[in-house]
Amino acid sequence: MDDTAFDKALIHAAFTLAARDGWDAVSVGAAAREAALPLEQARARFPGRDAILLRFGRLADQAALTGAITEGTPRERLFDVVMRRFDALQEHRAGVRALLRALPARPGLALLLATATSRSMAWMLDGAGIATTGITGLLRIKGLTALWFYTLRAWERDDSADLSGTMAALDRALARAEQIGRWLDRDSPPPGPKPFPEDPAPPIPPMPVGS
């Protein structure tokens, strides 16, 4: 088993534990035992539980960027790459939802994952061929991070097999952002605060999306 296969097996076990017993039941050792993986190799690959989430985020980024479309408008390309990311989350849906429920009581973990989210959103923009350098690029990253969390709320509630509710929320958010500020254009800044449709659902804290 190579390192990537090992990591995927341990991550799968961690989210299986989270779905079954809650996030507090998850540790590197517990996940290794769940997956029947060598504990010494788990220790070498994952120094702590946070590393499981950060590695999961990087793998999700890689899945989103692999095969991303290169044709179409910036909005179409960004829609494609972000939905590919949600497809990667969907594989561990029950465990990710358990993590989301646990985050409000763990502000330190939420802050760690918020930082990772920002890095992942920069990669999503790059994957869509949208510049992330300079002040405009930084604002684009912040705008896409807000868009991600808006769409994440829809994903958490979306029980459809094809993620139609998630796709609809993402499309609305991109349309609203584009309408307000043309923020996907090369030389235009993203919109200001509250660029997305109002959503009465309570916000979900940041979740792992990369490092």
PDB file of all heavy atoms in Angstrom, residues 69 72-79 81-82 121-133 136-141 144 174 178 182-190:
ATOM      1  N   ILE A  69     -12.367  21.442 -16.061  1.00  0.00           N
ATOM      2  CA  ILE A  69     -12.532  21.946 -17.427  1.00  0.00           C
ATOM      3  C   ILE A  69     -11.672  23.186 -17.644  1.00  0.00           C
ATOM      4  O   ILE A  69     -11.409  23.950 -16.722  1.00  0.00           O
ATOM      5  CB  ILE A  69     -14.009  22.253 -17.742  1.00  0.00           C
ATOM      6  CG1 ILE A  69     -14.539  23.382 -16.846  1.00  0.00           C
ATOM      7  CG2 ILE A  69     -14.861  21.005 -17.596  1.00  0.00           C
ATOM      8  CD1 ILE A  69     -15.936  23.853 -17.239  1.00  0.00           C
ATOM      9  N   GLY A  72     -14.928  27.398 -21.581  1.00  0.00           N
ATOM     10  CA  GLY A  72     -16.078  28.061 -20.990  1.00  0.00           C
ATOM     11  C   GLY A  72     -15.716  29.346 -20.281  1.00  0.00           C
ATOM     12  O   GLY A  72     -14.567  29.772 -20.248  1.00  0.00           O
ATOM     13  N   THR A  73     -16.711  29.949 -19.670  1.00  0.00           N
ATOM     14  CA  THR A  73     -16.531  31.215 -18.968  1.00  0.00           C
ATOM     15  C   THR A  73     -15.876  30.960 -17.612  1.00  0.00           C
ATOM     16  O   THR A  73     -15.876  29.828 -17.098  1.00  0.00           O
ATOM     17  CB  THR A  73     -17.878  31.901 -18.737  1.00  0.00           C
ATOM     18  OG1 THR A  73     -18.666  31.085 -17.846  1.00  0.00           O
ATOM     19  CG2 THR A  73     -18.644  32.075 -20.048  1.00  0.00           C
ATOM     20  N   PRO A  74     -15.301  32.005 -16.984  1.00  0.00           N
ATOM     21  CA  PRO A  74     -14.763  31.827 -15.630  1.00  0.00           C
ATOM     22  C   PRO A  74     -15.799  31.268 -14.652  1.00  0.00           C
ATOM     23  O   PRO A  74     -15.472  30.409 -13.836  1.00  0.00           O
ATOM     24  CB  PRO A  74     -14.319  33.241 -15.244  1.00  0.00           C
ATOM     25  CG  PRO A  74     -14.005  33.897 -16.545  1.00  0.00           C
ATOM     26  CD  PRO A  74     -15.005  33.354 -17.516  1.00  0.00           C
ATOM     27  N   ARG A  75     -17.025  31.731 -14.766  1.00  0.00           N
ATOM     28  CA  ARG A  75     -18.077  31.223 -13.877  1.00  0.00           C
ATOM     29  C   ARG A  75     -18.308  29.739 -14.099  1.00  0.00           C
ATOM     30  O   ARG A  75     -18.438  28.972 -13.136  1.00  0.00           O
ATOM     31  CB  ARG A  75     -19.365  32.013 -14.113  1.00  0.00           C
ATOM     32  CG  ARG A  75     -20.572  31.473 -13.335  1.00  0.00           C
ATOM     33  CD  ARG A  75     -21.797  32.321 -13.604  1.00  0.00           C
ATOM     34  NE  ARG A  75     -23.015  31.669 -13.204  1.00  0.00           N
ATOM     35  CZ  ARG A  75     -24.222  32.155 -13.400  1.00  0.00           C
ATOM     36  NH1 ARG A  75     -24.361  33.345 -13.998  1.00  0.00           N
ATOM     37  NH2 ARG A  75     -25.290  31.503 -13.008  1.00  0.00           N
ATOM     38  N   GLU A  76     -18.334  29.283 -15.351  1.00  0.00           N
ATOM     39  CA  GLU A  76     -18.544  27.865 -15.637  1.00  0.00           C
ATOM     40  C   GLU A  76     -17.386  27.024 -15.129  1.00  0.00           C
ATOM     41  O   GLU A  76     -17.596  25.943 -14.556  1.00  0.00           O
ATOM     42  CB  GLU A  76     -18.724  27.668 -17.146  1.00  0.00           C
ATOM     43  CG  GLU A  76     -20.043  28.218 -17.674  1.00  0.00           C
ATOM     44  CD  GLU A  76     -20.083  28.286 -19.195  1.00  0.00           C
ATOM     45  OE1 GLU A  76     -18.999  28.227 -19.840  1.00  0.00           O
ATOM     46  OE2 GLU A  76     -21.188  28.411 -19.750  1.00  0.00           O
ATOM     47  N   ARG A  77     -16.179  27.518 -15.295  1.00  0.00           N
ATOM     48  CA  ARG A  77     -15.012  26.762 -14.832  1.00  0.00           C
ATOM     49  C   ARG A  77     -14.979  26.684 -13.308  1.00  0.00           C
ATOM     50  O   ARG A  77     -14.647  25.642 -12.741  1.00  0.00           O
ATOM     51  CB  ARG A  77     -13.726  27.401 -15.357  1.00  0.00           C
ATOM     52  CG  ARG A  77     -13.615  27.381 -16.884  1.00  0.00           C
ATOM     53  CD  ARG A  77     -12.206  27.690 -17.344  1.00  0.00           C
ATOM     54  NE  ARG A  77     -11.715  28.980 -16.884  1.00  0.00           N
ATOM     55  CZ  ARG A  77     -11.840  30.125 -17.547  1.00  0.00           C
ATOM     56  NH1 ARG A  77     -12.487  30.152 -18.717  1.00  0.00           N
ATOM     57  NH2 ARG A  77     -11.334  31.253 -17.073  1.00  0.00           N
ATOM     58  N   LEU A  78     -15.346  27.775 -12.655  1.00  0.00           N
ATOM     59  CA  LEU A  78     -15.349  27.777 -11.197  1.00  0.00           C
ATOM     60  C   LEU A  78     -16.461  26.876 -10.659  1.00  0.00           C
ATOM     61  O   LEU A  78     -16.270  26.159  -9.671  1.00  0.00           O
ATOM     62  CB  LEU A  78     -15.515  29.205 -10.679  1.00  0.00           C
ATOM     63  CG  LEU A  78     -15.181  29.442  -9.209  1.00  0.00           C
ATOM     64  CD1 LEU A  78     -13.772  28.971  -8.872  1.00  0.00           C
ATOM     65  CD2 LEU A  78     -15.351  30.909  -8.852  1.00  0.00           C
ATOM     66  N   PHE A  79     -17.609  26.905 -11.293  1.00  0.00           N
ATOM     67  CA  PHE A  79     -18.697  26.004 -10.900  1.00  0.00           C
ATOM     68  C   PHE A  79     -18.221  24.555 -10.962  1.00  0.00           C
ATOM     69  O   PHE A  79     -18.469  23.761 -10.046  1.00  0.00           O
ATOM     70  CB  PHE A  79     -19.907  26.208 -11.815  1.00  0.00           C
ATOM     71  CG  PHE A  79     -21.080  25.330 -11.491  1.00  0.00           C
ATOM     72  CD1 PHE A  79     -22.082  25.770 -10.637  1.00  0.00           C
ATOM     73  CD2 PHE A  79     -21.198  24.056 -12.034  1.00  0.00           C
ATOM     74  CE1 PHE A  79     -23.168  24.958 -10.326  1.00  0.00           C
ATOM     75  CE2 PHE A  79     -22.274  23.231 -11.732  1.00  0.00           C
ATOM     76  CZ  PHE A  79     -23.266  23.693 -10.879  1.00  0.00           C
ATOM     77  N   VAL A  81     -15.115  23.254 -10.839  1.00  0.00           N
ATOM     78  CA  VAL A  81     -14.092  22.849  -9.882  1.00  0.00           C
ATOM     79  C   VAL A  81     -14.640  22.813  -8.457  1.00  0.00           C
ATOM     80  O   VAL A  81     -14.302  21.921  -7.664  1.00  0.00           O
ATOM     81  CB  VAL A  81     -12.847  23.767 -10.011  1.00  0.00           C
ATOM     82  CG1 VAL A  81     -13.062  25.117  -9.371  1.00  0.00           C
ATOM     83  CG2 VAL A  81     -11.609  23.102  -9.427  1.00  0.00           C
ATOM     84  N   VAL A  82     -15.534  23.736  -8.102  1.00  0.00           N
ATOM     85  CA  VAL A  82     -16.111  23.721  -6.755  1.00  0.00           C
ATOM     86  C   VAL A  82     -17.020  22.511  -6.569  1.00  0.00           C
ATOM     87  O   VAL A  82     -17.001  21.856  -5.519  1.00  0.00           O
ATOM     88  CB  VAL A  82     -16.859  25.043  -6.474  1.00  0.00           C
ATOM     89  CG1 VAL A  82     -17.633  24.955  -5.154  1.00  0.00           C
ATOM     90  CG2 VAL A  82     -15.872  26.206  -6.401  1.00  0.00           C
ATOM     91  N   MET A 121      -9.343  27.620  -1.364  1.00  0.00           N
ATOM     92  CA  MET A 121     -10.087  28.454  -2.308  1.00  0.00           C
ATOM     93  C   MET A 121      -9.152  29.132  -3.306  1.00  0.00           C
ATOM     94  O   MET A 121      -9.515  29.345  -4.458  1.00  0.00           O
ATOM     95  CB  MET A 121     -10.915  29.486  -1.551  1.00  0.00           C
ATOM     96  CG  MET A 121     -12.057  28.875  -0.741  1.00  0.00           C
ATOM     97  SD  MET A 121     -13.202  27.826  -1.709  1.00  0.00           S
ATOM     98  CE  MET A 121     -12.636  26.176  -1.243  1.00  0.00           C
ATOM     99  N   ALA A 122      -7.928  29.442  -2.874  1.00  0.00           N
ATOM    100  CA  ALA A 122      -6.949  29.961  -3.826  1.00  0.00           C
ATOM    101  C   ALA A 122      -6.658  28.931  -4.911  1.00  0.00           C
ATOM    102  O   ALA A 122      -6.554  29.262  -6.101  1.00  0.00           O
ATOM    103  CB  ALA A 122      -5.665  30.349  -3.096  1.00  0.00           C
ATOM    104  N   TRP A 123      -6.542  27.673  -4.512  1.00  0.00           N
ATOM    105  CA  TRP A 123      -6.319  26.612  -5.491  1.00  0.00           C
ATOM    106  C   TRP A 123      -7.522  26.434  -6.410  1.00  0.00           C
ATOM    107  O   TRP A 123      -7.370  26.148  -7.610  1.00  0.00           O
ATOM    108  CB  TRP A 123      -5.993  25.304  -4.782  1.00  0.00           C
ATOM    109  CG  TRP A 123      -4.563  25.189  -4.385  1.00  0.00           C
ATOM    110  CD1 TRP A 123      -4.037  25.285  -3.127  1.00  0.00           C
ATOM    111  CD2 TRP A 123      -3.457  24.963  -5.252  1.00  0.00           C
ATOM    112  NE1 TRP A 123      -2.682  25.141  -3.158  1.00  0.00           N
ATOM    113  CE2 TRP A 123      -2.285  24.931  -4.456  1.00  0.00           C
ATOM    114  CE3 TRP A 123      -3.333  24.790  -6.632  1.00  0.00           C
ATOM    115  CZ2 TRP A 123      -1.024  24.730  -4.988  1.00  0.00           C
ATOM    116  CZ3 TRP A 123      -2.070  24.589  -7.173  1.00  0.00           C
ATOM    117  CH2 TRP A 123      -0.936  24.562  -6.365  1.00  0.00           C
ATOM    118  N   MET A 124      -8.742  26.568  -5.878  1.00  0.00           N
ATOM    119  CA  MET A 124      -9.924  26.439  -6.728  1.00  0.00           C
ATOM    120  C   MET A 124      -9.950  27.539  -7.789  1.00  0.00           C
ATOM    121  O   MET A 124     -10.289  27.293  -8.953  1.00  0.00           O
ATOM    122  CB  MET A 124     -11.207  26.495  -5.886  1.00  0.00           C
ATOM    123  CG  MET A 124     -11.377  25.359  -4.874  1.00  0.00           C
ATOM    124  SD  MET A 124     -11.302  23.696  -5.570  1.00  0.00           S
ATOM    125  CE  MET A 124      -9.597  23.225  -5.162  1.00  0.00           C
ATOM    126  N   LEU A 125      -9.601  28.748  -7.399  1.00  0.00           N
ATOM    127  CA  LEU A 125      -9.527  29.845  -8.371  1.00  0.00           C
ATOM    128  C   LEU A 125      -8.451  29.575  -9.417  1.00  0.00           C
ATOM    129  O   LEU A 125      -8.679  29.759 -10.620  1.00  0.00           O
ATOM    130  CB  LEU A 125      -9.268  31.162  -7.652  1.00  0.00           C
ATOM    131  CG  LEU A 125     -10.445  31.732  -6.860  1.00  0.00           C
ATOM    132  CD1 LEU A 125      -9.972  32.779  -5.868  1.00  0.00           C
ATOM    133  CD2 LEU A 125     -11.493  32.343  -7.802  1.00  0.00           C
ATOM    134  N   ASP A 126      -7.292  29.129  -8.971  1.00  0.00           N
ATOM    135  CA  ASP A 126      -6.233  28.786  -9.925  1.00  0.00           C
ATOM    136  C   ASP A 126      -6.695  27.685 -10.870  1.00  0.00           C
ATOM    137  O   ASP A 126      -6.399  27.714 -12.067  1.00  0.00           O
ATOM    138  CB  ASP A 126      -4.975  28.337  -9.180  1.00  0.00           C
ATOM    139  CG  ASP A 126      -4.132  29.507  -8.679  1.00  0.00           C
ATOM    140  OD1 ASP A 126      -4.216  30.581  -9.292  1.00  0.00           O
ATOM    141  OD2 ASP A 126      -3.406  29.339  -7.691  1.00  0.00           O
ATOM    142  N   GLY A 127      -7.399  26.696 -10.320  1.00  0.00           N
ATOM    143  CA  GLY A 127      -7.894  25.608 -11.149  1.00  0.00           C
ATOM    144  C   GLY A 127      -8.882  26.065 -12.200  1.00  0.00           C
ATOM    145  O   GLY A 127      -9.015  25.439 -13.254  1.00  0.00           O
ATOM    146  N   ALA A 128      -9.575  27.163 -11.920  1.00  0.00           N
ATOM    147  CA  ALA A 128     -10.528  27.724 -12.873  1.00  0.00           C
ATOM    148  C   ALA A 128      -9.880  28.757 -13.786  1.00  0.00           C
ATOM    149  O   ALA A 128     -10.566  29.383 -14.600  1.00  0.00           O
ATOM    150  CB  ALA A 128     -11.700  28.358 -12.128  1.00  0.00           C
ATOM    151  N   GLY A 129      -8.561  28.941 -13.639  1.00  0.00           N
ATOM    152  CA  GLY A 129      -7.862  29.896 -14.491  1.00  0.00           C
ATOM    153  C   GLY A 129      -8.100  31.339 -14.121  1.00  0.00           C
ATOM    154  O   GLY A 129      -8.002  32.231 -14.971  1.00  0.00           O
ATOM    155  N   ILE A 130      -8.387  31.600 -12.841  1.00  0.00           N
ATOM    156  CA  ILE A 130      -8.671  32.952 -12.365  1.00  0.00           C
ATOM    157  C   ILE A 130      -7.523  33.406 -11.475  1.00  0.00           C
ATOM    158  O   ILE A 130      -7.133  32.706 -10.544  1.00  0.00           O
ATOM    159  CB  ILE A 130     -10.000  32.990 -11.587  1.00  0.00           C
ATOM    160  CG1 ILE A 130     -11.149  32.545 -12.500  1.00  0.00           C
ATOM    161  CG2 ILE A 130     -10.274  34.379 -11.030  1.00  0.00           C
ATOM    162  CD1 ILE A 130     -12.442  32.270 -11.768  1.00  0.00           C
ATOM    163  N   ALA A 131      -6.972  34.568 -11.768  1.00  0.00           N
ATOM    164  CA  ALA A 131      -5.781  35.049 -11.070  1.00  0.00           C
ATOM    165  C   ALA A 131      -6.042  35.250  -9.579  1.00  0.00           C
ATOM    166  O   ALA A 131      -7.108  35.715  -9.167  1.00  0.00           O
ATOM    167  CB  ALA A 131      -5.303  36.362 -11.694  1.00  0.00           C
ATOM    168  N   THR A 132      -5.029  34.908  -8.772  1.00  0.00           N
ATOM    169  CA  THR A 132      -5.144  35.057  -7.321  1.00  0.00           C
ATOM    170  C   THR A 132      -4.029  35.930  -6.747  1.00  0.00           C
ATOM    171  O   THR A 132      -3.853  35.975  -5.533  1.00  0.00           O
ATOM    172  CB  THR A 132      -5.076  33.674  -6.636  1.00  0.00           C
ATOM    173  OG1 THR A 132      -3.831  33.035  -6.979  1.00  0.00           O
ATOM    174  CG2 THR A 132      -6.234  32.795  -7.069  1.00  0.00           C
ATOM    175  N   THR A 133      -3.307  36.631  -7.612  1.00  0.00           N
ATOM    176  CA  THR A 133      -2.200  37.458  -7.141  1.00  0.00           C
ATOM    177  C   THR A 133      -2.667  38.887  -6.866  1.00  0.00           C
ATOM    178  O   THR A 133      -3.688  39.339  -7.390  1.00  0.00           O
ATOM    179  CB  THR A 133      -1.073  37.487  -8.179  1.00  0.00           C
ATOM    180  OG1 THR A 133      -1.602  37.927  -9.447  1.00  0.00           O
ATOM    181  CG2 THR A 133      -0.475  36.102  -8.355  1.00  0.00           C
ATOM    182  N   THR A 136      -6.380  42.276  -5.756  1.00  0.00           N
ATOM    183  CA  THR A 136      -7.590  41.735  -6.379  1.00  0.00           C
ATOM    184  C   THR A 136      -7.677  40.236  -6.173  1.00  0.00           C
ATOM    185  O   THR A 136      -8.751  39.697  -5.887  1.00  0.00           O
ATOM    186  CB  THR A 136      -7.610  42.071  -7.880  1.00  0.00           C
ATOM    187  OG1 THR A 136      -7.640  43.490  -8.038  1.00  0.00           O
ATOM    188  CG2 THR A 136      -8.841  41.474  -8.554  1.00  0.00           C
ATOM    189  N   GLY A 137      -6.549  39.552  -6.305  1.00  0.00           N
ATOM    190  CA  GLY A 137      -6.553  38.113  -6.078  1.00  0.00           C
ATOM    191  C   GLY A 137      -6.924  37.759  -4.656  1.00  0.00           C
ATOM    192  O   GLY A 137      -7.684  36.812  -4.419  1.00  0.00           O
ATOM    193  N   LEU A 138      -6.400  38.516  -3.687  1.00  0.00           N
ATOM    194  CA  LEU A 138      -6.737  38.268  -2.290  1.00  0.00           C
ATOM    195  C   LEU A 138      -8.231  38.457  -2.047  1.00  0.00           C
ATOM    196  O   LEU A 138      -8.866  37.667  -1.339  1.00  0.00           O
ATOM    197  CB  LEU A 138      -5.936  39.221  -1.396  1.00  0.00           C
ATOM    198  CG  LEU A 138      -6.201  39.113   0.113  1.00  0.00           C
ATOM    199  CD1 LEU A 138      -5.863  37.722   0.629  1.00  0.00           C
ATOM    200  CD2 LEU A 138      -5.408  40.167   0.870  1.00  0.00           C
ATOM    201  N   LEU A 139      -8.804  39.496  -2.662  1.00  0.00           N
ATOM    202  CA  LEU A 139     -10.237  39.726  -2.509  1.00  0.00           C
ATOM    203  C   LEU A 139     -11.052  38.614  -3.167  1.00  0.00           C
ATOM    204  O   LEU A 139     -12.112  38.234  -2.664  1.00  0.00           O
ATOM    205  CB  LEU A 139     -10.606  41.087  -3.100  1.00  0.00           C
ATOM    206  CG  LEU A 139     -10.050  42.298  -2.350  1.00  0.00           C
ATOM    207  CD1 LEU A 139     -10.357  43.584  -3.105  1.00  0.00           C
ATOM    208  CD2 LEU A 139     -10.613  42.366  -0.937  1.00  0.00           C
ATOM    209  N   ARG A 140     -10.557  38.100  -4.280  1.00  0.00           N
ATOM    210  CA  ARG A 140     -11.243  36.973  -4.911  1.00  0.00           C
ATOM    211  C   ARG A 140     -11.248  35.750  -3.984  1.00  0.00           C
ATOM    212  O   ARG A 140     -12.254  35.045  -3.873  1.00  0.00           O
ATOM    213  CB  ARG A 140     -10.558  36.605  -6.230  1.00  0.00           C
ATOM    214  CG  ARG A 140     -10.828  37.567  -7.371  1.00  0.00           C
ATOM    215  CD  ARG A 140     -10.372  36.964  -8.694  1.00  0.00           C
ATOM    216  NE  ARG A 140     -10.627  37.878  -9.785  1.00  0.00           N
ATOM    217  CZ  ARG A 140      -9.689  38.550 -10.439  1.00  0.00           C
ATOM    218  NH1 ARG A 140      -8.416  38.378 -10.104  1.00  0.00           N
ATOM    219  NH2 ARG A 140     -10.007  39.358 -11.419  1.00  0.00           N
ATOM    220  N   ILE A 141     -10.119  35.496  -3.339  1.00  0.00           N
ATOM    221  CA  ILE A 141     -10.043  34.364  -2.424  1.00  0.00           C
ATOM    222  C   ILE A 141     -11.041  34.535  -1.284  1.00  0.00           C
ATOM    223  O   ILE A 141     -11.749  33.594  -0.907  1.00  0.00           O
ATOM    224  CB  ILE A 141      -8.609  34.215  -1.879  1.00  0.00           C
ATOM    225  CG1 ILE A 141      -7.654  33.822  -3.006  1.00  0.00           C
ATOM    226  CG2 ILE A 141      -8.564  33.171  -0.759  1.00  0.00           C
ATOM    227  CD1 ILE A 141      -6.182  33.935  -2.631  1.00  0.00           C
ATOM    228  N   LEU A 144     -14.549  33.925  -2.679  1.00  0.00           N
ATOM    229  CA  LEU A 144     -14.859  32.524  -2.918  1.00  0.00           C
ATOM    230  C   LEU A 144     -14.993  31.756  -1.606  1.00  0.00           C
ATOM    231  O   LEU A 144     -15.797  30.823  -1.511  1.00  0.00           O
ATOM    232  CB  LEU A 144     -13.783  31.887  -3.799  1.00  0.00           C
ATOM    233  CG  LEU A 144     -14.049  30.433  -4.201  1.00  0.00           C
ATOM    234  CD1 LEU A 144     -15.389  30.299  -4.929  1.00  0.00           C
ATOM    235  CD2 LEU A 144     -12.922  29.881  -5.056  1.00  0.00           C
ATOM    236  N   LEU A 174     -22.868  32.162  -7.435  1.00  0.00           N
ATOM    237  CA  LEU A 174     -22.001  32.650  -8.500  1.00  0.00           C
ATOM    238  C   LEU A 174     -22.691  33.722  -9.336  1.00  0.00           C
ATOM    239  O   LEU A 174     -22.080  34.723  -9.710  1.00  0.00           O
ATOM    240  CB  LEU A 174     -21.561  31.485  -9.389  1.00  0.00           C
ATOM    241  CG  LEU A 174     -20.501  30.556  -8.802  1.00  0.00           C
ATOM    242  CD1 LEU A 174     -20.354  29.311  -9.668  1.00  0.00           C
ATOM    243  CD2 LEU A 174     -19.165  31.276  -8.664  1.00  0.00           C
ATOM    244  N   GLU A 178     -21.414  37.523  -9.610  1.00  0.00           N
ATOM    245  CA  GLU A 178     -21.116  38.057 -10.930  1.00  0.00           C
ATOM    246  C   GLU A 178     -21.954  39.300 -11.211  1.00  0.00           C
ATOM    247  O   GLU A 178     -21.475  40.292 -11.767  1.00  0.00           O
ATOM    248  CB  GLU A 178     -21.400  36.981 -11.983  1.00  0.00           C
ATOM    249  CG  GLU A 178     -20.800  37.247 -13.338  1.00  0.00           C
ATOM    250  CD  GLU A 178     -20.961  36.066 -14.262  1.00  0.00           C
ATOM    251  OE1 GLU A 178     -22.047  35.451 -14.277  1.00  0.00           O
ATOM    252  OE2 GLU A 178     -20.002  35.746 -14.974  1.00  0.00           O
ATOM    253  N   ARG A 182     -18.909  41.587 -11.070  1.00  0.00           N
ATOM    254  CA  ARG A 182     -18.105  41.009 -12.136  1.00  0.00           C
ATOM    255  C   ARG A 182     -16.758  40.567 -11.579  1.00  0.00           C
ATOM    256  O   ARG A 182     -15.709  40.741 -12.192  1.00  0.00           O
ATOM    257  CB  ARG A 182     -17.902  42.012 -13.282  1.00  0.00           C
ATOM    258  CG  ARG A 182     -19.182  42.533 -13.902  1.00  0.00           C
ATOM    259  CD  ARG A 182     -19.960  41.456 -14.611  1.00  0.00           C
ATOM    260  NE  ARG A 182     -19.191  40.864 -15.713  1.00  0.00           N
ATOM    261  CZ  ARG A 182     -19.633  39.827 -16.442  1.00  0.00           C
ATOM    262  NH1 ARG A 182     -20.784  39.270 -16.172  1.00  0.00           N
ATOM    263  NH2 ARG A 182     -18.900  39.349 -17.422  1.00  0.00           N
ATOM    264  N   TRP A 183     -16.766  39.952 -10.392  1.00  0.00           N
ATOM    265  CA  TRP A 183     -15.523  39.692  -9.665  1.00  0.00           C
ATOM    266  C   TRP A 183     -14.685  38.582 -10.268  1.00  0.00           C
ATOM    267  O   TRP A 183     -13.556  38.376  -9.857  1.00  0.00           O
ATOM    268  CB  TRP A 183     -15.803  39.405  -8.204  1.00  0.00           C
ATOM    269  CG  TRP A 183     -16.517  38.124  -7.922  1.00  0.00           C
ATOM    270  CD1 TRP A 183     -17.815  37.834  -8.146  1.00  0.00           C
ATOM    271  CD2 TRP A 183     -15.959  36.962  -7.314  1.00  0.00           C
ATOM    272  NE1 TRP A 183     -18.109  36.565  -7.720  1.00  0.00           N
ATOM    273  CE2 TRP A 183     -16.994  36.008  -7.206  1.00  0.00           C
ATOM    274  CE3 TRP A 183     -14.685  36.623  -6.835  1.00  0.00           C
ATOM    275  CZ2 TRP A 183     -16.806  34.744  -6.655  1.00  0.00           C
ATOM    276  CZ3 TRP A 183     -14.504  35.371  -6.294  1.00  0.00           C
ATOM    277  CH2 TRP A 183     -15.554  34.448  -6.205  1.00  0.00           C
ATOM    278  N   LEU A 184     -15.238  37.880 -11.246  1.00  0.00           N
ATOM    279  CA  LEU A 184     -14.434  36.862 -11.900  1.00  0.00           C
ATOM    280  C   LEU A 184     -13.638  37.411 -13.073  1.00  0.00           C
ATOM    281  O   LEU A 184     -12.779  36.727 -13.616  1.00  0.00           O
ATOM    282  CB  LEU A 184     -15.336  35.714 -12.382  1.00  0.00           C
ATOM    283  CG  LEU A 184     -16.153  35.008 -11.292  1.00  0.00           C
ATOM    284  CD1 LEU A 184     -16.977  33.885 -11.897  1.00  0.00           C
ATOM    285  CD2 LEU A 184     -15.244  34.476 -10.210  1.00  0.00           C
ATOM    286  N   ASP A 185     -13.951  38.646 -13.487  1.00  0.00           N
ATOM    287  CA  ASP A 185     -13.182  39.246 -14.564  1.00  0.00           C
ATOM    288  C   ASP A 185     -11.751  39.482 -14.110  1.00  0.00           C
ATOM    289  O   ASP A 185     -11.475  39.718 -12.934  1.00  0.00           O
ATOM    290  CB  ASP A 185     -13.805  40.584 -14.996  1.00  0.00           C
ATOM    291  CG  ASP A 185     -15.113  40.369 -15.745  1.00  0.00           C
ATOM    292  OD1 ASP A 185     -15.390  39.212 -16.113  1.00  0.00           O
ATOM    293  OD2 ASP A 185     -15.847  41.345 -15.950  1.00  0.00           O
ATOM    294  N   ARG A 186     -10.823  39.482 -15.040  1.00  0.00           N
ATOM    295  CA  ARG A 186      -9.406  39.554 -14.706  1.00  0.00           C
ATOM    296  C   ARG A 186      -9.058  40.807 -13.911  1.00  0.00           C
ATOM    297  O   ARG A 186      -8.261  40.758 -12.980  1.00  0.00           O
ATOM    298  CB  ARG A 186      -8.575  39.508 -15.988  1.00  0.00           C
ATOM    299  CG  ARG A 186      -7.069  39.597 -15.739  1.00  0.00           C
ATOM    300  CD  ARG A 186      -6.293  39.296 -16.996  1.00  0.00           C
ATOM    301  NE  ARG A 186      -6.511  37.927 -17.423  1.00  0.00           N
ATOM    302  CZ  ARG A 186      -5.820  36.900 -16.939  1.00  0.00           C
ATOM    303  NH1 ARG A 186      -4.895  37.081 -16.020  1.00  0.00           N
ATOM    304  NH2 ARG A 186      -6.056  35.680 -17.367  1.00  0.00           N
ATOM    305  N   ASP A 187      -9.621  41.939 -14.246  1.00  0.00           N
ATOM    306  CA  ASP A 187      -9.194  43.189 -13.621  1.00  0.00           C
ATOM    307  C   ASP A 187     -10.226  43.793 -12.694  1.00  0.00           C
ATOM    308  O   ASP A 187     -10.094  44.925 -12.267  1.00  0.00           O
ATOM    309  CB  ASP A 187      -8.839  44.221 -14.707  1.00  0.00           C
ATOM    310  CG  ASP A 187      -7.685  43.742 -15.580  1.00  0.00           C
ATOM    311  OD1 ASP A 187      -6.726  43.180 -15.016  1.00  0.00           O
ATOM    312  OD2 ASP A 187      -7.754  43.918 -16.807  1.00  0.00           O
ATOM    313  N   SER A 188     -11.277  43.050 -12.386  1.00  0.00           N
ATOM    314  CA  SER A 188     -12.334  43.607 -11.546  1.00  0.00           C
ATOM    315  C   SER A 188     -12.287  42.979 -10.171  1.00  0.00           C
ATOM    316  O   SER A 188     -12.118  41.765 -10.037  1.00  0.00           O
ATOM    317  CB  SER A 188     -13.708  43.344 -12.180  1.00  0.00           C
ATOM    318  OG  SER A 188     -13.795  43.979 -13.433  1.00  0.00           O
ATOM    319  N   PRO A 189     -12.481  43.777  -9.112  1.00  0.00           N
ATOM    320  CA  PRO A 189     -12.483  43.216  -7.765  1.00  0.00           C
ATOM    321  C   PRO A 189     -13.777  42.471  -7.496  1.00  0.00           C
ATOM    322  O   PRO A 189     -14.781  42.668  -8.182  1.00  0.00           O
ATOM    323  CB  PRO A 189     -12.377  44.459  -6.872  1.00  0.00           C
ATOM    324  CG  PRO A 189     -13.022  45.539  -7.680  1.00  0.00           C
ATOM    325  CD  PRO A 189     -12.671  45.232  -9.118  1.00  0.00           C
ATOM    326  N   PRO A 190     -13.785  41.585  -6.501  1.00  0.00           N
ATOM    327  CA  PRO A 190     -15.019  40.890  -6.142  1.00  0.00           C
ATOM    328  C   PRO A 190     -15.993  41.829  -5.460  1.00  0.00           C
ATOM    329  O   PRO A 190     -15.641  42.953  -5.096  1.00  0.00           O
ATOM    330  CB  PRO A 190     -14.527  39.804  -5.172  1.00  0.00           C
ATOM    331  CG  PRO A 190     -13.278  40.357  -4.596  1.00  0.00           C
ATOM    332  CD  PRO A 190     -12.658  41.193  -5.678  1.00  0.00           C
TER     333      PRO A 190
END
